[in-house]
CSV table of all heavy atoms in Angstrom, one decimal:
chain,number,residue,atom,x,y,z
A,9,MET,N,88.5,62.2,119.9
A,9,MET,CA,89.4,61.5,119.0
A,9,MET,C,89.9,62.4,117.8
A,9,MET,O,89.2,63.1,117.4
A,9,MET,CB,88.7,60.2,118.4
A,9,MET,CG,88.6,59.1,119.4
A,9,MET,SD,90.2,58.3,119.7
A,9,MET,CE,89.8,57.4,121.1
A,10,GLU,N,91.1,62.2,117.5
A,10,GLU,CA,91.6,63.0,116.5
A,10,GLU,C,91.2,62.6,115.1
A,10,GLU,O,90.8,61.4,114.9
A,10,GLU,CB,93.2,63.1,116.5
A,10,GLU,CG,93.8,61.7,116.3
A,10,GLU,CD,95.0,61.4,117.1
A,10,GLU,OE1,95.0,61.8,118.3
A,10,GLU,OE2,95.9,60.7,116.7
A,11,GLU,N,91.3,63.5,114.1
A,11,GLU,CA,90.9,63.1,112.8
A,11,GLU,C,92.0,62.2,112.2
A,11,GLU,O,93.1,62.2,112.5
A,11,GLU,CB,90.9,64.4,111.9
A,11,GLU,CG,89.7,65.3,112.1
A,11,GLU,CD,88.4,64.7,111.6
A,11,GLU,OE1,88.4,64.1,110.5
A,11,GLU,OE2,87.4,64.7,112.3
A,12,ASN,N,91.5,61.3,111.4
A,12,ASN,CA,92.5,60.5,110.6
A,12,ASN,C,92.1,60.3,109.2
A,12,ASN,O,91.0,60.6,108.8
A,12,ASN,CB,92.7,59.1,111.4
A,12,ASN,CG,91.4,58.4,111.4
A,12,ASN,OD1,90.8,58.1,110.4
A,12,ASN,ND2,91.0,57.8,112.6
A,13,ASN,N,93.0,59.8,108.5
A,13,ASN,CA,92.7,59.5,107.0
A,13,ASN,C,92.6,58.1,106.7
A,13,ASN,O,93.0,57.6,105.6
A,13,ASN,CB,93.8,60.2,106.2
A,13,ASN,CG,93.8,61.7,106.4
A,13,ASN,OD1,92.8,62.4,106.4
A,13,ASN,ND2,95.0,62.2,106.6
A,14,LEU,N,92.2,57.3,107.7
A,14,LEU,CA,92.2,55.9,107.5
A,14,LEU,C,91.0,55.5,106.5
A,14,LEU,O,90.0,56.2,106.5
A,14,LEU,CB,92.0,55.2,108.8
A,14,LEU,CG,93.1,55.3,109.8
A,14,LEU,CD1,92.7,54.6,111.2
A,14,LEU,CD2,94.3,54.5,109.3
A,15,VAL,N,91.3,54.4,105.8
A,15,VAL,CA,90.3,53.9,104.9
A,15,VAL,C,90.1,52.4,105.3
A,15,VAL,O,91.0,51.7,105.5
A,15,VAL,CB,90.8,54.0,103.4
A,15,VAL,CG1,89.8,53.3,102.5
A,15,VAL,CG2,90.9,55.5,103.1
A,16,CYS,N,88.9,52.1,105.3
A,16,CYS,CA,88.6,50.6,105.6
A,16,CYS,C,89.3,49.7,104.7
A,16,CYS,O,89.1,49.8,103.4
A,16,CYS,CB,87.1,50.4,105.6
A,16,CYS,SG,86.6,48.7,105.9
A,17,PRO,N,90.0,48.7,105.1
A,17,PRO,CA,90.7,47.8,104.2
A,17,PRO,C,89.7,46.8,103.6
A,17,PRO,O,90.1,46.0,102.6
A,17,PRO,CB,91.7,47.1,105.1
A,17,PRO,CG,91.1,47.1,106.5
A,17,PRO,CD,90.3,48.4,106.5
A,18,VAL,N,88.5,46.7,104.2
A,18,VAL,CA,87.6,45.7,103.6
A,18,VAL,C,86.7,46.3,102.5
A,18,VAL,O,86.6,45.7,101.4
A,18,VAL,CB,86.7,45.2,104.7
A,18,VAL,CG1,85.7,44.1,104.3
A,18,VAL,CG2,87.5,44.4,105.8
A,19,CYS,N,86.1,47.4,102.8
A,19,CYS,CA,85.2,48.0,101.8
A,19,CYS,C,85.7,49.3,101.2
A,19,CYS,O,85.0,49.8,100.4
A,19,CYS,CB,83.8,48.2,102.5
A,19,CYS,SG,83.7,49.5,103.6
A,20,GLY,N,86.7,49.8,101.8
A,20,GLY,CA,87.3,51.1,101.1
A,20,GLY,C,86.6,52.3,101.6
A,20,GLY,O,86.9,53.4,101.2
A,21,SER,N,85.7,52.2,102.5
A,21,SER,CA,85.0,53.4,103.1
A,21,SER,C,85.9,54.3,104.0
A,21,SER,O,86.9,53.7,104.6
A,21,SER,CB,83.7,52.9,103.9
A,21,SER,OG,83.3,54.0,104.7
A,22,SER,N,85.7,55.5,103.9
A,22,SER,CA,86.5,56.3,104.8
A,22,SER,C,85.7,56.8,106.0
A,22,SER,O,86.1,57.6,106.8
A,22,SER,CB,87.1,57.6,104.1
A,22,SER,OG,85.9,58.4,103.5
A,23,ASN,N,84.6,56.2,106.2
A,23,ASN,CA,83.7,56.4,107.3
A,23,ASN,C,84.1,55.5,108.5
A,23,ASN,O,83.5,54.6,108.8
A,23,ASN,CB,82.3,56.1,106.9
A,23,ASN,CG,81.3,56.6,107.9
A,23,ASN,OD1,81.6,57.3,108.9
A,23,ASN,ND2,80.0,56.4,107.7
A,24,VAL,N,85.3,55.9,109.1
A,24,VAL,CA,86.0,55.1,110.0
A,24,VAL,C,86.2,55.9,111.3
A,24,VAL,O,86.3,57.1,111.3
A,24,VAL,CB,87.3,54.7,109.4
A,24,VAL,CG1,88.3,54.3,110.4
A,24,VAL,CG2,87.2,53.7,108.3
A,25,PHE,N,86.1,55.1,112.4
A,25,PHE,CA,86.3,55.8,113.6
A,25,PHE,C,87.1,54.9,114.6
A,25,PHE,O,87.3,53.7,114.4
A,25,PHE,CB,84.9,56.1,114.4
A,25,PHE,CG,84.1,54.8,114.7
A,25,PHE,CD1,84.0,54.4,116.0
A,25,PHE,CD2,83.4,54.2,113.7
A,25,PHE,CE1,83.3,53.2,116.2
A,25,PHE,CE2,82.7,53.0,113.9
A,25,PHE,CZ,82.6,52.5,115.2
A,26,ASP,N,87.8,55.5,115.5
A,26,ASP,CA,88.7,54.9,116.4
A,26,ASP,C,88.1,54.5,117.7
A,26,ASP,O,87.1,55.1,118.2
A,26,ASP,CB,89.9,55.8,116.7
A,26,ASP,CG,90.9,56.0,115.6
A,26,ASP,OD1,90.9,55.0,114.7
A,26,ASP,OD2,91.6,57.0,115.6
A,27,GLY,N,88.6,53.5,118.3
A,27,GLY,CA,88.1,53.1,119.6
A,27,GLY,C,89.2,52.4,120.4
A,27,GLY,O,90.2,52.2,119.9
A,28,LYS,N,88.9,52.0,121.6
A,28,LYS,CA,89.7,51.3,122.5
A,28,LYS,C,89.3,49.9,122.6
A,28,LYS,O,88.1,49.6,122.8
A,28,LYS,CB,89.8,52.1,123.8
A,28,LYS,CG,90.8,51.5,124.7
A,28,LYS,CD,91.0,52.6,125.8
A,28,LYS,CE,89.8,53.1,126.5
A,28,LYS,NZ,90.1,54.0,127.7
A,29,LEU,N,90.1,48.9,122.6
A,29,LEU,CA,89.8,47.5,122.9
A,29,LEU,C,89.7,47.4,124.4
A,29,LEU,O,90.7,47.7,125.1
A,29,LEU,CB,90.8,46.5,122.3
A,29,LEU,CG,90.8,46.4,120.8
A,29,LEU,CD1,91.8,45.3,120.4
A,29,LEU,CD2,89.4,46.2,120.2
A,30,SER,N,88.6,47.0,124.9
A,30,SER,CA,88.4,46.9,126.3
A,30,SER,C,87.6,45.8,126.8
A,30,SER,O,86.6,45.4,126.1
A,30,SER,CB,87.8,48.2,126.8
A,30,SER,OG,87.6,48.3,128.1
A,31,SER,N,87.9,45.3,128.0
A,31,SER,CA,87.0,44.4,128.7
A,31,SER,C,87.0,44.9,130.0
A,31,SER,O,87.4,46.0,130.3
A,31,SER,CB,87.6,42.9,128.6
A,31,SER,OG,88.7,42.8,129.3
A,32,THR,N,86.5,44.1,131.0
A,32,THR,CA,86.4,44.7,132.3
A,32,THR,C,87.8,45.1,132.8
A,32,THR,O,87.9,46.2,133.4
A,32,THR,CB,85.8,43.6,133.3
A,32,THR,OG1,84.5,43.1,132.7
A,32,THR,CG2,85.6,44.1,134.7
A,33,GLY,N,88.7,44.3,132.7
A,33,GLY,CA,90.0,44.6,133.1
A,33,GLY,C,90.8,45.4,132.0
A,33,GLY,O,91.9,45.9,132.5
A,34,GLY,N,90.3,45.4,130.9
A,34,GLY,CA,91.1,46.0,129.8
A,34,GLY,C,92.0,44.9,129.1
A,34,GLY,O,92.7,44.2,129.7
A,35,PHE,N,91.8,44.9,127.7
A,35,PHE,CA,92.7,44.0,127.0
A,35,PHE,C,94.1,44.6,126.9
A,35,PHE,O,94.2,45.8,126.8
A,35,PHE,CB,92.2,43.9,125.6
A,35,PHE,CG,91.2,42.9,125.4
A,35,PHE,CD1,89.9,43.2,125.1
A,35,PHE,CD2,91.5,41.5,125.4
A,35,PHE,CE1,88.9,42.2,124.9
A,35,PHE,CE2,90.6,40.5,125.2
A,35,PHE,CZ,89.3,40.9,124.9
A,36,VAL,N,95.1,43.8,127.0
A,36,VAL,CA,96.5,44.3,126.8
A,36,VAL,C,97.2,43.4,126.0
A,36,VAL,O,96.9,42.2,125.8
A,36,VAL,CB,97.2,44.3,128.2
A,36,VAL,CG1,96.6,45.4,129.1
A,36,VAL,CG2,97.2,43.0,128.9
A,37,PHE,N,98.1,44.0,125.2
A,37,PHE,CA,99.0,43.3,124.3
A,37,PHE,C,100.2,43.0,125.1
A,37,PHE,O,100.9,43.9,125.6
A,37,PHE,CB,99.3,44.1,123.1
A,37,PHE,CG,100.3,43.5,122.2
A,37,PHE,CD1,99.9,42.7,121.1
A,37,PHE,CD2,101.6,43.8,122.3
A,37,PHE,CE1,100.8,42.2,120.3
A,37,PHE,CE2,102.6,43.3,121.4
A,37,PHE,CZ,102.2,42.5,120.4
A,38,ILE,N,100.6,41.7,125.2
A,38,ILE,CA,101.8,41.4,125.9
A,38,ILE,C,102.8,40.7,124.9
A,38,ILE,O,102.4,39.6,124.3
A,38,ILE,CB,101.6,40.4,127.1
A,38,ILE,CG1,100.7,41.1,128.1
A,38,ILE,CG2,102.9,40.0,127.8
A,38,ILE,CD1,100.3,40.3,129.3
A,39,PRO,N,103.9,41.3,124.7
A,39,PRO,CA,104.8,40.6,123.7
A,39,PRO,C,105.2,39.2,124.1
A,39,PRO,O,105.4,38.9,125.3
A,39,PRO,CB,106.0,41.6,123.6
A,39,PRO,CG,105.5,42.8,124.1
A,39,PRO,CD,104.4,42.5,125.1
A,40,GLU,N,105.4,38.4,123.2
A,40,GLU,CA,105.9,37.0,123.4
A,40,GLU,C,107.1,36.9,124.3
A,40,GLU,O,107.2,36.1,125.2
A,40,GLU,CB,106.1,36.2,122.1
A,40,GLU,CG,106.1,34.7,122.3
A,40,GLU,CD,104.9,34.0,122.6
A,40,GLU,OE1,103.9,34.7,122.4
A,40,GLU,OE2,104.9,32.9,123.2
A,41,GLU,N,108.0,37.8,124.1
A,41,GLU,CA,109.2,37.8,124.8
A,41,GLU,C,109.1,38.2,126.3
A,41,GLU,O,110.0,38.1,127.1
A,41,GLU,CB,110.2,38.9,124.1
A,41,GLU,CG,109.8,40.3,124.2
A,41,GLU,CD,110.6,41.2,123.4
A,41,GLU,OE1,111.2,40.8,122.5
A,41,GLU,OE2,110.6,42.4,123.7
A,42,GLU,N,107.9,38.7,126.7
A,42,GLU,CA,107.7,39.1,128.0
A,42,GLU,C,107.0,37.9,128.8
A,42,GLU,O,106.9,38.1,130.0
A,42,GLU,CB,106.7,40.3,128.1
A,42,GLU,CG,107.2,41.6,127.5
A,42,GLU,CD,108.4,42.1,128.3
A,42,GLU,OE1,108.4,42.0,129.5
A,42,GLU,OE2,109.4,42.6,127.6
A,43,LYS,N,106.7,36.8,128.1
A,43,LYS,CA,106.1,35.8,128.8
A,43,LYS,C,106.9,35.1,129.9
A,43,LYS,O,108.1,34.9,129.7
A,43,LYS,CB,105.7,34.7,127.8
A,43,LYS,CG,104.2,34.8,127.3
A,43,LYS,CD,103.9,33.8,126.2
A,43,LYS,CE,103.7,32.3,126.7
A,43,LYS,NZ,103.3,31.5,125.6
A,44,GLY,N,106.3,34.9,131.1
A,44,GLY,CA,107.0,34.3,132.1
A,44,GLY,C,107.9,35.3,133.0
A,44,GLY,O,108.4,34.9,134.0
A,45,LYS,N,107.9,36.5,132.6
A,45,LYS,CA,108.6,37.4,133.4
A,45,LYS,C,107.8,37.9,134.6
A,45,LYS,O,106.6,37.9,134.5
A,45,LYS,CB,109.1,38.7,132.5
A,45,LYS,CG,110.2,38.4,131.6
A,45,LYS,CD,110.6,39.7,130.9
A,45,LYS,CE,111.7,39.5,129.8
A,45,LYS,NZ,112.1,40.6,129.1
A,46,PHE,N,108.4,38.2,135.6
A,46,PHE,CA,107.7,38.6,136.9
A,46,PHE,C,106.9,39.9,136.6
A,46,PHE,O,105.7,40.0,136.8
A,46,PHE,CB,108.6,38.9,138.0
A,46,PHE,CG,108.0,39.2,139.2
A,46,PHE,CD1,107.1,38.4,139.9
A,46,PHE,CD2,108.2,40.5,139.8
A,46,PHE,CE1,106.4,38.8,141.1
A,46,PHE,CE2,107.5,40.9,141.0
A,46,PHE,CZ,106.6,40.0,141.6
A,47,LEU,N,107.6,40.9,136.0
A,47,LEU,CA,106.9,42.2,135.6
A,47,LEU,C,106.8,42.2,134.1
A,47,LEU,O,107.7,42.5,133.4
A,47,LEU,CB,107.7,43.4,136.1
A,47,LEU,CG,107.6,43.6,137.6
A,47,LEU,CD1,108.5,44.7,138.0
A,47,LEU,CD2,106.1,43.9,138.0
A,48,GLN,N,105.6,41.8,133.5
A,48,GLN,CA,105.5,41.8,132.1
A,48,GLN,C,105.1,43.2,131.6
A,48,GLN,O,104.3,43.9,132.2
A,48,GLN,CB,104.3,40.8,131.7
A,48,GLN,CG,104.6,39.4,132.0
A,48,GLN,CD,103.5,38.6,131.5
A,48,GLN,OE1,102.3,38.9,131.6
A,48,GLN,NE2,103.8,37.4,131.0
A,49,ARG,N,105.9,43.6,130.6
A,49,ARG,CA,105.5,44.9,129.9
A,49,ARG,C,104.3,44.6,129.1
A,49,ARG,O,104.3,43.6,128.4
A,49,ARG,CB,106.7,45.5,129.2
A,49,ARG,CG,107.8,45.9,130.1
A,49,ARG,CD,108.9,46.5,129.4
A,49,ARG,NE,109.4,45.5,128.2
A,49,ARG,CZ,110.2,45.9,127.3
A,49,ARG,NH1,110.6,47.1,127.1
A,49,ARG,NH2,110.5,45.0,126.4
A,50,SER,N,103.4,45.5,129.1
A,50,SER,CA,102.3,45.3,128.2
A,50,SER,C,101.7,46.7,127.7
A,50,SER,O,102.2,47.7,128.2
A,50,SER,CB,101.2,44.5,128.9
A,50,SER,OG,100.7,45.3,130.0
A,51,SER,N,100.8,46.7,126.9
A,51,SER,CA,100.2,47.9,126.4
A,51,SER,C,98.7,47.7,126.1
A,51,SER,O,98.3,46.7,125.6
A,51,SER,CB,100.9,48.3,125.1
A,51,SER,OG,100.3,49.5,124.6
A,52,PHE,N,98.0,48.7,126.3
A,52,PHE,CA,96.6,48.7,125.9
A,52,PHE,C,96.7,49.0,124.4
A,52,PHE,O,97.6,49.5,123.8
A,52,PHE,CB,95.8,49.8,126.6
A,52,PHE,CG,95.5,49.4,128.1
A,52,PHE,CD1,96.2,49.9,129.0
A,52,PHE,CD2,94.5,48.4,128.3
A,52,PHE,CE1,96.0,49.6,130.4
A,52,PHE,CE2,94.2,48.1,129.6
A,52,PHE,CZ,95.0,48.6,130.7
A,53,MET,N,95.5,48.7,123.8
A,53,MET,CA,95.4,48.8,122.3
A,53,MET,C,94.2,49.6,121.9
A,53,MET,O,93.2,49.7,122.5
A,53,MET,CB,95.2,47.4,121.7
A,53,MET,CG,96.4,46.5,121.8
A,53,MET,SD,96.1,44.9,121.2
A,53,MET,CE,94.9,44.2,122.4
A,54,THR,N,94.4,50.4,120.8
A,54,THR,CA,93.3,51.1,120.2
A,54,THR,C,93.2,50.5,118.7
A,54,THR,O,94.0,49.8,118.3
A,54,THR,CB,93.6,52.5,120.0
A,54,THR,OG1,94.7,52.7,119.2
A,54,THR,CG2,93.7,53.3,121.3
A,55,ALA,N,92.0,50.6,118.2
A,55,ALA,CA,91.8,50.0,116.9
A,55,ALA,C,90.8,51.0,116.1
A,55,ALA,O,90.3,52.0,116.7
A,55,ALA,CB,91.1,48.7,116.9
A,56,SER,N,90.7,50.8,114.8
A,56,SER,CA,89.8,51.6,114.1
A,56,SER,C,88.7,50.6,113.5
A,56,SER,O,88.8,49.4,113.4
A,56,SER,CB,90.4,52.2,112.8
A,56,SER,OG,91.5,53.0,113.3
A,57,ALA,N,87.4,51.2,113.4
A,57,ALA,CA,86.3,50.4,112.9
A,57,ALA,C,85.7,51.2,111.8
A,57,ALA,O,85.7,52.4,111.8
A,57,ALA,CB,85.4,50.1,114.1
A,58,CYS,N,85.0,50.4,111.0
A,58,CYS,CA,84.3,51.0,109.8
A,58,CYS,C,82.8,51.1,110.1
A,58,CYS,O,82.2,50.1,110.5
A,58,CYS,CB,84.6,50.1,108.6
A,58,CYS,SG,83.6,50.6,107.2
A,59,ARG,N,82.2,52.2,109.9
A,59,ARG,CA,80.8,52.4,110.2
A,59,ARG,C,80.0,51.7,109.1
A,59,ARG,O,78.8,51.5,109.3
A,59,ARG,CB,80.5,53.9,110.2
A,59,ARG,CG,81.0,54.6,111.4
A,59,ARG,CD,80.4,56.1,111.5
A,59,ARG,NE,81.2,57.0,112.3
A,59,ARG,CZ,81.2,57.0,113.6
A,59,ARG,NH1,80.4,56.2,114.3
A,59,ARG,NH2,82.0,57.8,114.3
A,60,ASP,N,80.6,51.4,108.0
A,60,ASP,CA,79.8,51.0,106.8
A,60,ASP,C,79.7,49.4,106.9
A,60,ASP,O,78.6,48.9,106.6
A,60,ASP,CB,80.4,51.4,105.6
A,60,ASP,CG,80.1,52.9,105.4
A,60,ASP,OD1,79.1,53.4,106.0
A,60,ASP,OD2,80.9,53.6,104.7
A,61,CYS,N,80.9,48.8,107.1
A,61,CYS,CA,80.8,47.3,107.0
A,61,CYS,C,81.1,46.6,108.4
A,61,CYS,O,81.0,45.4,108.5
A,61,CYS,CB,81.7,46.8,105.9
A,61,CYS,SG,83.5,46.8,106.4
A,62,GLY,N,81.6,47.4,109.3
A,62,GLY,CA,81.8,46.9,110.6
A,62,GLY,C,83.2,46.2,110.9
A,62,GLY,O,83.5,45.6,111.9
A,63,ALA,N,84.1,46.3,109.9
A,63,ALA,CA,85.4,45.7,110.0
A,63,ALA,C,86.1,46.5,111.1
A,63,ALA,O,86.0,47.7,111.2
A,63,ALA,CB,86.2,45.9,108.7
A,64,VAL,N,86.9,45.8,111.8
A,64,VAL,CA,87.8,46.3,112.8
A,64,VAL,C,89.2,46.1,112.4
A,64,VAL,O,89.6,44.9,112.0
A,64,VAL,CB,87.6,45.7,114.3
A,64,VAL,CG1,88.6,46.3,115.2
A,64,VAL,CG2,86.2,46.0,114.7
A,65,PHE,N,90.1,47.1,112.4
A,65,PHE,CA,91.4,46.9,111.8
A,65,PHE,C,92.3,48.0,112.4
A,65,PHE,O,91.9,48.8,113.3
A,65,PHE,CB,91.4,47.2,110.3
A,65,PHE,CG,90.8,48.5,109.8
A,65,PHE,CD1,91.7,49.6,109.6
A,65,PHE,CD2,89.5,48.7,109.8
A,65,PHE,CE1,91.2,50.8,109.3
A,65,PHE,CE2,89.0,50.0,109.4
A,65,PHE,CZ,89.8,51.0,109.2
A,66,GLY,N,93.5,47.9,112.0
A,66,GLY,CA,94.5,49.0,112.5
A,66,GLY,C,94.7,49.0,114.0
A,66,GLY,O,94.8,50.0,114.6
A,67,LEU,N,94.9,47.8,114.5
A,67,LEU,CA,95.2,47.7,116.0
A,67,LEU,C,96.6,48.5,116.2
A,67,LEU,O,97.5,48.3,115.4
A,67,LEU,CB,95.5,46.3,116.4
A,67,LEU,CG,94.2,45.5,116.5
A,67,LEU,CD1,94.6,44.0,116.8
A,67,LEU,CD2,93.3,46.0,117.6
A,68,ARG,N,96.6,49.3,117.3
A,68,ARG,CA,97.8,50.0,117.6
A,68,ARG,C,98.0,50.0,119.1
A,68,ARG,O,97.1,49.9,119.9
A,68,ARG,CB,97.7,51.5,117.2
A,68,ARG,CG,97.5,51.6,115.7
A,68,ARG,CD,97.3,53.0,115.2
A,68,ARG,NE,96.1,53.7,115.8
A,68,ARG,CZ,94.9,53.5,115.3
A,68,ARG,NH1,94.7,52.7,114.3
A,68,ARG,NH2,93.9,54.2,115.8
A,69,LEU,N,99.3,50.0,119.5
A,69,LEU,CA,99.6,50.0,121.0
A,69,LEU,C,99.4,51.4,121.4
A,69,LEU,O,100.1,52.3,120.9
A,69,LEU,CB,101.0,49.5,121.1
A,69,LEU,CG,101.3,48.0,120.6
A,69,LEU,CD1,102.7,47.7,120.8
A,69,LEU,CD2,100.4,47.0,121.3
A,70,THR,N,98.7,51.6,122.4
A,70,THR,CA,98.5,53.0,122.9
A,70,THR,C,99.7,53.4,123.6
A,70,THR,O,100.0,54.6,123.7
A,70,THR,CB,97.3,53.1,123.9
A,70,THR,OG1,97.4,52.1,125.0
A,70,THR,CG2,96.0,52.8,123.2
A,71,ASP,N,100.5,52.5,124.2
A,71,ASP,CA,101.7,52.9,124.9
A,71,ASP,C,102.9,53.0,124.1
A,71,ASP,O,104.0,53.2,124.5
A,71,ASP,CB,101.9,52.0,126.1
A,71,ASP,CG,100.8,52.1,127.1
A,71,ASP,OD1,100.2,53.2,127.3
A,71,ASP,OD2,100.5,51.1,127.7
A,72,HIS,N,102.7,52.7,122.8
A,72,HIS,CA,103.9,52.7,121.8
A,72,HIS,C,104.3,54.2,121.6
A,72,HIS,O,103.4,55.1,121.5
A,72,HIS,CB,103.5,52.2,120.5
A,72,HIS,CG,104.4,52.2,119.4
A,72,HIS,ND1,105.4,51.3,119.3
A,72,HIS,CD2,104.6,53.2,118.5
A,72,HIS,CE1,106.3,51.6,118.3
A,72,HIS,NE2,105.8,52.8,117.8
A,73,PRO,N,105.6,54.6,121.6
A,73,PRO,CA,106.7,53.6,121.7
A,73,PRO,C,107.3,53.6,123.1
A,73,PRO,O,108.2,52.8,123.3
A,73,PRO,CB,107.6,54.1,120.7
A,73,PRO,CG,107.5,55.6,120.8
A,73,PRO,CD,106.0,55.8,121.2
A,74,ASN,N,106.8,54.3,124.0
A,74,ASN,CA,107.5,54.6,125.3
A,74,ASN,C,107.7,53.3,126.1
A,74,ASN,O,108.7,53.0,126.6
A,74,ASN,CB,106.7,55.6,126.1
A,74,ASN,CG,106.7,56.9,125.4
A,74,ASN,OD1,107.7,57.3,124.7
A,74,ASN,ND2,105.7,57.7,125.7
A,75,LYS,N,106.6,52.6,126.2
A,75,LYS,CA,106.7,51.5,127.2
A,75,LYS,C,107.2,50.2,126.6
A,75,LYS,O,108.1,49.5,127.3
A,75,LYS,CB,105.2,51.2,127.6
A,75,LYS,CG,105.0,50.5,128.9
A,75,LYS,CD,103.6,50.5,129.3
A,75,LYS,CE,103.3,49.7,130.6
A,75,LYS,NZ,102.0,49.5,130.9
A,76,LEU,N,106.9,49.7,125.4
A,76,LEU,CA,107.3,48.5,124.9
A,76,LEU,C,108.6,48.5,124.1
A,76,LEU,O,109.3,47.5,124.1
A,76,LEU,CB,106.3,47.8,124.1
A,76,LEU,CG,105.1,47.3,124.8
A,76,LEU,CD1,104.0,46.8,123.9
A,76,LEU,CD2,105.5,46.2,125.8
A,77,THR,N,109.0,49.6,123.6
A,77,THR,CA,110.1,49.6,122.6
A,77,THR,C,111.4,50.1,123.2
A,77,THR,O,112.4,50.1,122.5
A,77,THR,CB,109.7,50.3,121.3
A,77,THR,OG1,109.4,51.6,121.6
A,77,THR,CG2,108.6,49.6,120.6
A,78,LYS,N,111.3,50.5,124.4
A,78,LYS,CA,112.6,51.0,125.0
A,78,LYS,C,113.3,49.9,125.7
A,78,LYS,O,112.7,49.0,126.2
A,78,LYS,CB,112.3,52.1,126.1
A,78,LYS,CG,112.2,53.4,125.4
A,78,LYS,CD,112.0,54.6,126.4
A,78,LYS,CE,112.1,55.9,125.7
A,78,LYS,NZ,111.7,57.0,126.6
B,27,LIG,ZN1,84.3,48.9,105.7
């Protein structure tokens, strides 16, 4: 994982690390506008978490911007 300068929005700690939101099949973010379409565009997500208080924040689309915004 690359270095970042994120700060926890809950406790202000900079002891923060990145991770991927995942379940067996993988969590995906599907825009509301894609609902009901035969081929839904979606994206996996990453997030940051705080080692000090456990807050999870900073959700980001891993496929942004190529997949969803074109
Ligand atoms: Zn924190």
Side-chain angles (χ1 to χ4, degrees):
M9 282 293 166
E10 66 222 35
E11 286 289 318
N12 62 51
N13 298 313
L14 293 174
V15 172
C16 174
V18 176
C19 73
S21 168
S22 58
N23 195 3
V24 158
F25 62 104
D26 285 336
K28 183 163 54 173
L29 292 187
S30 177
S31 68
T32 307
F35 273 112
V36 291
F37 175 89
I38 300 175
E40 193 69 22
E41 64 189 24
E42 297 292 323
K43 264 174 78 176
K45 290 187 181 176
F46 180 64
L47 287 173
Q48 291 181 328
R49 293 182 304 168
S50 62
S51 176
F52 288 103
M53 292 177 288
T54 58
S56 299
C58 175
R59 289 190 203 278
D60 290 334
C61 76
V64 177
F65 59 95
L67 287 174
R68 298 177 300 279
L69 301 177
T70 56
D71 295 327
H72 174 86
N74 295 331
K75 203 169 170 186
L76 286 178
T77 57
K78 273 187 178 171

